[in-house]
Amino acid sequence: MLRMAVAGAIGALVVIAVTLTLGCGTFLGPAVCGPWRGPFAASTPVTVKSAARHAFYRNSGVPAPYRGQTNPFRPSIPLVLAGADLYDLRCAICHGPMGLGNGVASDKLRQRPADLAGSVSSPDIGNDFLFWTISEGGTQFGTDMPRFKHDLTDAQIWTIIGYMRAAFEGREANASP
Ligand code: HEC
């Protein structure tokens, strides 16, 4: 009887210790526990994408002014470095340093910022989607994604897209737990 009680108590302690170490979200998910806060949080995508944005893109593509737009720049190291600086300055605060949607301001938004590593790795997302989204922001979809078209030049936006493709593509697979 005593041995069973001791074994039970030890079992309970192990469960509590594991839960504390790995974080509530590991077991119950972010919907119950809030943003995931386990030990791998820095490299784990935490995003919910705008379903309305993706449905719009699937059904109608990008709006007319953005249709057929392609990156005018060939990838190069200086361009990627310039894009990294711009991304760091304008995007990392929400989307996180590696595009995983976990920037320092991400908790304060109505909807968490998108996991850009996942976005640029998806075969369904073209550069037209990225250029349109960054230019126009989330006003149309009621999100906090800022509109950058008056703040950044087209060339700067393409430079950031070039950087995201170079740095984030394929990362989301490695980052998943
Ligand atoms: C104030 C926080 C904030 C900043 C700063 C910000 N974003 Fe966002 N971004 C969001 C949020 C929230 C979403 C999700 C809602 C949406 O799609 O409108 C988002 C979505 C996106 C998406 C859509 C991805 C997808 O697959 O749905 C792209 C692309 C994007 N952001 C790129 C950028 C880039 C590039 C920058 C910097 C130039 C930037 N964002 C700056 C908050 C931000």
Side-chain angles (χ1 to χ4, degrees):
M1 192 61 192
L2 183 66
R3 270 170 69 185
M4 271 174 67
V6 171
I10 291 174
L13 282 176
V14 168
V15 170
I16 291 168
V18 168
T19 308
L20 287 178
T21 312
L22 293 183
C24 161
T26 310
F27 301 101
L28 301 175
V32 177
C33 306
W36 197 77
R37 292 277 178 245
F40 312 111
S43 61
T44 305
V46 287
T47 309
V48 185
K49 294 196 193 287
S50 163
R53 175 188 297 294
H54 285 263
F56 182 94
Y57 183 61
R58 254 194 326 275
N59 296 334
S60 338
V62 296
Y66 297 98
R67 232 163 262 166
Q69 296 253 15
T70 52
N71 195 337
F73 302 122
R74 290 165 61 88
S76 73
I77 291 175
L79 215 63
V80 169
L81 293 178
D85 276 348
L86 284 168
Y87 177 89
D88 225 27
L89 214 61
R90 311 307 303 264
C91 323
I93 186 168
C94 291
H95 289 281
M98 288 313 292
L100 294 169
N102 54 359
V104 289
S106 58
D107 281 346
K108 301 183 178 60
L109 309 174
R110 280 174 286 179
Q111 178 182 337
R112 299 183 66 78
D115 153 28
L116 298 179
S119 309
V120 295
S121 306
S122 161
D124 300 332
I125 290 191
N127 276 354
D128 58 345
F129 174 97
L130 300 173
F131 188 66
W132 160 58
T133 301
I134 299 164
S135 301
E136 293 294 338
T139 319
Q140 181 182 356
F141 303 108
T143 76
D144 294 317
M145 168 66 196
R147 156 195 290 217
F148 283 99
K149 74 176 178 190
H150 302 304
D151 233 9
L152 296 172
T153 62
D154 286 3
Q156 284 176 315
I157 295 177
W158 283 119
T159 304
I160 294 176
I161 292 172
Y163 164 71
M164 295 197 302
R165 290 237 174 254
F168 302 160
E169 219 170 287
R171 292 271 172 171
E172 94 301 350
N174 304 335
S176 299

